[in-house]
Structures are given as structure tokens and as C-alpha cells.
Amino acid sequence: MSVRMAPPLPLIILIMVHRVSSAGWDVSYSPSHICALKNSSVIMNCTYTYPTGHKIMKVFWSKNPVKGKEPPDMSEDPEYSQRLQYLGDKQQNCTIRLSHVTQKDSHKYYFRFNTNKCSKKWTGYPGVTLTVTDLQVEAPERVTEGHNVRLTCKSSCTLTDRATFIWYRNSQPLTERRDRNNQLLLQSVRREDAGRYSCALHGHSYISPAARLSVTYAPRNVSVSISPSGEIVEGDSVTLICSSDSNPPALNFSWFKENQSSAVGAGQSFSALQSGRFYCEAHNQHGSQRSDAVTVIVKDPPRSVAVSITGSGEIVEGDSVTLICSSDSNPPALNFSWFKENQSSAVGSGQSFSALQSGRFYCEAHNQHGSQRSDAVTVTVKGGAMFYSFVSVVGRLVILYISIGVICGAAVIITMLIW
Ligand SMILES: *[C@@H]1O[C@H](CO)[C@@H](O)[C@H](O)[C@H]1NC(C)=O
Ligand SMILES: *[C@@H]1O[C@H](CO)[C@@H](O)[C@H](O)[C@H]1NC(C)=O
Ligand SMILES: *[C@@H]1O[C@H](CO)[C@@H](O)[C@H](O)[C@H]1NC(C)=O
Ligand SMILES: *[C@@H]1O[C@H](CO)[C@@H](O)[C@H](O)[C@H]1NC(C)=O
Ligand SMILES: *[C@@H]1O[C@H](CO)[C@@H](O)[C@H](O)[C@H]1NC(C)=O
Ligand SMILES: *[C@@H]1O[C@H](CO)[C@@H](O)[C@H](O)[C@H]1NC(C)=O
Ligand SMILES: *[C@@H]1O[C@H](CO)[C@@H](O)[C@H](O)[C@H]1NC(C)=O
Ligand SMILES: *[C@@H]1O[C@H](CO)[C@@H](O)[C@H](O)[C@H]1NC(C)=O
């Protein structure tokens, strides 16, 4: 009986041993994937079990276990030793904390323990996966005033749902307008919304690099400045400069004279040659705006002063030639003086002048802003008339003398005949 009962017993023991050995050795990580923010402290939550009767001799974490070799202990690695803290114990808790994580720490980590019995060693595969992320603001470069824009704080892995995002504009925290957890919605954007945006996680020191958001808008605050300054300007012309506040900067400017429909000029500056009221209009792709008008009074002395001659400028003595002085000025010149070259005092006044003598004459046109003289014109009086009249007088005297002679001769002959 006893001989026949013997065989099943070792089998049962074998099964029991197998059960014990598979159930007794275990390392579990909770969670097994961790997404951590740059420069934060990471808790790698870990528990382990081993069969009763074993005593734990050594516990450590390793990054690169190699089959068949004793893996390196991270706490002896200078890259980790300062930042690694074992929070567990030598019974069942193998939790560690890794501080100031960098993207280089993205890796798989394993817990390993050695026991006293037969130097049994155990590595907890498949390990805990750590991913370290930074934050990046995703935003368009520019948005048009009045439109909506959504900014996203991007991470390369999914941070916990409980993470609260904080937004900054030009390093100032923004309190409102948070949309979905990692998004910031700016509605009906205003110019003041332009700036450098960055994001962070509540409770963490890391702040993302800033992204610049530019707000584009049509020209506004368009104004004209006058150079030289002042609305009333002396000189030949006055330069008007159009300035505007616009984004992108206005590059297209038109100039108008008040109550004239068509433009009188283009470009950021304009030379007003005449008096009047002028304004500019600045354009960019978002629209245009006009400035207030400025009054320009050009105090313009006469210019383009010239003398014109009726006829050829050659006359015979006794006649005269009329010289007319013309000028282009604002206000018009009403006062003209006439001079003979190399004579200091005027020889005449008024817009026209009758030259009776040969010479070089010029005029000077005046208005209240100054005067200008013309080039000189040459008037030549021919002496020929006197010669011809002298000849004709002499001729007539000869004819008279001859006539008298003829008449006298005839009278003598008649007298002699009578006698
Ligand atoms: C660690 O794991 C335990 C058990 O799974 C869990 O109750 C605890 O919340 C975890 N702690 C962290 C910080 O994940
Ligand atoms: C392990 O120890 C850490 C630190 O003391 C503790 O936060 C964690 O809850 C412990 N884990 C378990 C499963 O007890
Ligand atoms: C990293 O965190 C520490 C505090 O935990 C902080 O003093 C330091 O400024 C942070 N470094 C960066 C680059 O954010
Ligand atoms: C227009 O520009 C002037 C000068 O730069 C500034 O003082 C003024 O506040 C601006 N006005 C508006 C409405 O932006
Ligand atoms: C400037 O703006 C006016 C009005 O929008 C347009 O007619 C003109 O073609 C523009 N000129 C240039 C050079 O863009
Ligand atoms: C332009 O017209 C307005 C009315 O249409 C008038 O009041 C103003 O005096 C005019 N300006 C000039 C410079 O003619
Ligand atoms: C014309 O201008 C001259 C030179 O300025 C001045 O001497 C003269 O009085 C002016 N005559 C009249 C009528 O304005
Ligand atoms: C006027 O004087 C200039 C030199 O002062 C001389 O060259 C010119 O010939 C003179 N003209 C007349 C018409 O005398």
C-alpha cells in the first residue's frame, strides 16, 4: 500500500515549488510610463516582492542592464548621484525620486535587488519609461486686429490631466481667457495683445521659450508734419511728411489738396510748392486712413522773371520798343522796376516799359516775400533815319535851288526878250 502511494507526492511538491517561485519574485511600477516636465522632480513609484525566507542584501536602480552582467548602480553615476533619492525600503517599496530632470533623462529605468539566498538577483523588467518634455508655445506669427487666435502650450508627451497651465505675456502672468487646458484663446485681438507669450505649469519653475505674436492693423493716427516746422513757412517749397501707426508699416502714401479729388502726390514726403490745405492718406494691406489737413502758406518770392520784347529789339531812332516783365509768383508780383545795365537807379516801373535808347535792360519783380531780377535784353536804336532825312533835306534844297535857278534863268531870258 505504502509503496503504491509514494509517487504522487514529489509531483505535488514540484508544482508547489513552481508556483512559489513564479509568484514570489516581482517588481511593479505604477505608473509604468511617466511624462515629466523639464527641471521637475519625478517620483518613480515602485513595489517589489520576493519569496519569504529571503533577506534583501542590496537594492538599486539601473538604466542600462546588460544580460549576464551586474548592471551599473545609478546612484554611483555622477550624472545621477546628486539628483537621485531612494525613498523605498528593504522590504517592498522601491520608490525613487529623480530631481531636475532634463531631456537627456528620457530613458527606461529598472529596479534590481539581490538577496542573501544563493545570491539571487532580480531585475524588474520591463522597467519604468520616463519621458521628459519641455513646453513650446504654438502660435501664428501674426494675427489681424479683431480676429481670434488660439495659442497652444505644446509638450512632447501627455502631462497629467491635473496639470494647470499658466500663460505669460512679456513675462507678466495672464489671469484670464484660458481656453482648453493647454490653450489660450484671444478673442477679437487688440493691438495690446501683441507680445512675447510663454507658458508654464502651475507649481513648476520651468517656463517655455517665448513666441512672438504680432498684431497687424490698418494705418491709424495718420498725421502730417511740416519741415521746416510751423504751418507758415518761408522758402521756395515746404516738405510735408506723412506718418502713421500701422502694422505692417504703411509704405503707400497719397497726398491730396483739400477739395481736389485727385491725388497731388505720392510717397511718404511731399513738396508743397503752392499754398493750400494738404492731407495725406496712408495705406497698408489692411486699409487706409487720412490725416487732418495742414495749412501751408508758401511765402514765395517771384521767380522765372523774364523780359519779352514786342518786335525784334532793333528799332530806328524816334520809335520805341515795349519791354514786358513776366514772373511766376505766389502771391503775384504787382511791383516791377526797370533798370539799364550798369546804372544803379531804376529807369522805369510797371509791368511794361518803353525803351527809347539802345542798351541792355532788365526788370525786377517784387512781391511781399522778395524780389528777383530778369536777365538783360538788348535794345538797339539804329541812327540811319537821321542820315536819310539829312540826305532828303539836302536833295530838296538842291532841287529848290535848281528850280529857283531855272525859274530865275527863264525870267532873265523872258526879260531880255521883252527888252
Ligand atoms: C504609488 O503606487 C501606489 C500603489 O499602486 C498608489 O496608491 C500611489 O498613488 C502611487 N503614488 C504615486 C505618486 O503615483
Ligand atoms: C513608497 O514610499 C513612498 C515614500 O515614502 C510613498 O510615497 C509611497 O506611497 C510608498 N508606496 C507604497 C506602495 O507604499
Ligand atoms: C529649476 O528648478 C529650480 C527649483 O526647483 C529653480 O531654482 C531653477 O531656476 C530651475 N531652472 C530652470 C532653468 O528653470
Ligand atoms: C497718436 O500719436 C501720438 C504721438 O505718437 C500719440 O501721443 C497719441 O496717443 C496717438 N493717438 C492714438 C489715438 O493712438
Ligand atoms: C496705394 O494705394 C492705393 C489705394 O489703395 C492704390 O490704388 C495704389 O495702387 C497703391 N499703390 C501701391 C504702389 O501699392
Ligand atoms: C473745401 O470745401 C469745404 C466744403 O465743401 C469748405 O468748407 C472749405 O472751405 C473748402 N476748403 C477750401 C480750401 O477751399
Ligand atoms: C516796389 O518795390 C520797391 C523795392 O522793394 C519799393 O522800393 C517800392 O516802394 C515798391 N513800390 C510799390 C508801389 O509797391
Ligand atoms: C557793365 O559792367 C560790366 C562789368 O561791371 C561789364 O562787363 C559790361 O560790359 C558792362 N556793360 C555795359 C553795357 O556797359
Side-chain angles (χ1 to χ4, degrees):
M1 278 283 281
S2 66
V3 174
R4 275 164 59 203
M5 290 287 284
L9 194 61
L11 186 65
I12 290 159
I13 292 164
L14 259 171
I15 291 164
M16 281 174 66
V17 167
H18 179 73
R19 267 188 64 206
V20 167
S21 82
S22 70
W25 302 90
D26 189 37
V27 176
S28 67
Y29 307 97
S30 167
S32 59
H33 288 81
I34 300 174
C35 175
L37 185 63
K38 201 170 160 176
N39 200 31
S40 65
S41 283
V42 177
I43 302 273
M44 297 190 210
N45 200 359
C46 166
T47 56
Y48 64 109
T49 57
Y50 50 91
T52 47
H54 285 264
K55 186 166 184 280
I56 299 300
M57 302 306 289
K58 185 174 185 200
V59 289
F60 65 100
W61 283 70
S62 188
K63 193 166 78 164
N64 294 314
V66 180
K67 283 257 154 70
K69 271 175 97 181
E70 183 70 1
D73 179 350
M74 273 167 65
S75 66
E76 284 161 15
D77 182 339
E79 224 181 278
Y80 290 96
S81 55
Q82 298 296 309
R83 301 187 287 133
L84 193 64
Q85 195 181 3
Y86 189 72
L87 305 175
D89 51 34
K90 283 196 168 180
Q91 279 95 48
Q92 50 152 7
N93 190 335
C94 46
T95 300
I96 50 164
R97 174 164 55 210
L98 184 60
S99 323
H100 300 298
V101 292
T102 66
Q103 271 144 318
K104 264 166 58 187
D105 295 333
S106 293
H107 229 283
K108 275 192 156 193
Y109 296 92
Y110 306 88
F111 174 64
R112 182 172 168 88
F113 60 97
N114 301 346
T115 70
N116 58 342
K117 275 195 182 167
C118 323
S119 305
K120 179 74 185 173
K121 293 162 185 179
W122 188 269
T123 301
Y125 288 102
V128 52
T129 307
L130 173 65
T131 310
V132 178
T133 181
D134 61 1
L135 299 175
Q136 297 287 344
V137 173
E138 215 176 60
E141 260 179 59
R142 56 185 66 85
V143 57
T144 303
E145 190 177 41
H147 290 203
N148 297 345
V149 65
R150 200 181 291 277
L151 283 71
T152 306
C153 190
K154 280 263 184 183
S155 54
S156 63
C157 54
T158 309
L159 293 156
T160 82
D161 293 341
R162 280 167 299 157
T164 307
F165 287 84
I166 306 168
W167 287 90
Y168 298 89
R169 181 180 53 234
N170 302 330
S171 304
Q172 297 300 310
L174 298 177
T175 51
E176 303 163 331
R177 294 183 296 183
R178 203 166 296 119
D179 192 27
R180 267 188 276 146
N181 196 24
N182 67 336
Q183 296 194 325
L184 178 70
L185 175 67
L186 302 178
Q187 276 179 302
S188 187
V189 165
R190 293 174 307 154
R191 229 167 87 212
E192 300 74 51
D193 291 324
R196 298 166 68 252
Y197 283 85
S198 47
C199 63
L201 269 189
H202 185 73
H204 291 266
S205 53
Y206 171 77
I207 298 180
S208 77
R212 189 177 293 278
L213 179 71
S214 158
V215 176
T216 57
Y217 47 90
R220 68 181 82 198
N221 211 0
V222 180
S223 63
V224 173
S225 59
I226 301 184
S227 169
S229 63
E231 290 207 340
I232 297 170
V233 178
E234 294 196 44
D236 288 350
S237 72
V238 50
T239 301
L240 306 181
I241 294 164
C242 191
S243 61
S244 80
D245 174 9
S246 51
N247 188 17
L251 296 173
N252 181 348
F253 299 90
S254 315
W255 289 92
F256 295 88
K257 194 169 179 185
E258 203 170 73
N259 298 356
Q260 278 185 18
S261 60
S262 59
V264 295
Q268 190 156 15
S269 67
F270 171 69
S271 275
L273 300 169
Q274 305 168 300
S275 301
R277 281 176 61 72
F278 295 91
Y279 63 88
C280 71
E281 210 170 75
H283 310 260
N284 71 7
Q285 63 259 52
H286 298 293
S288 65
Q289 202 184 51
R290 62 156 72 175
S291 70
D292 286 339
V294 294
T295 301
V296 171
I297 295 171
V298 177
K299 289 183 167 182
D300 198 4
R303 23 170 186 198
S304 313
V305 179
V307 173
S308 57
I309 303 180
T310 57
S312 67
E314 285 195 16
I315 48 164
V316 289
E317 200 156 5
D319 286 345
S320 70
V321 64
T322 302
L323 307 181
I324 294 169
C325 189
S326 65
S327 80
D328 171 14
S329 60
N330 177 36
L334 294 172
N335 180 347
F336 300 87
S337 313
W338 289 92
F339 294 87
K340 191 167 179 191
E341 203 167 70
N342 298 357
Q343 283 185 16
S344 60
S345 59
V347 296
S349 66
Q351 191 156 14
S352 64
F353 171 69
S354 287
L356 299 166
Q357 309 167 284
S358 292
R360 286 174 54 73
F361 296 90
Y362 62 85
C363 71
E364 210 171 74
H366 309 261
N367 69 8
Q368 60 261 50
H369 304 304
S371 66
Q372 203 190 42
R373 57 189 272 187
S374 69
D375 286 338
V377 295
T378 304
V379 172
T380 311
V381 177
K382 289 254 153 92
M386 215 144 69
F387 173 73
Y388 286 120
S389 59
F390 171 75
V391 167
S392 75
V393 167
V394 169
R396 280 173 208 163
L397 284 174
V398 167
I399 289 164
L400 182 65
Y401 176 76
I402 289 170
S403 306
I404 291 168
V406 168
I407 291 163
C408 290
V412 168
I413 289 163
I414 291 165
T415 309
M416 282 174 69
L417 282 172
I418 294 169
W419 284 93

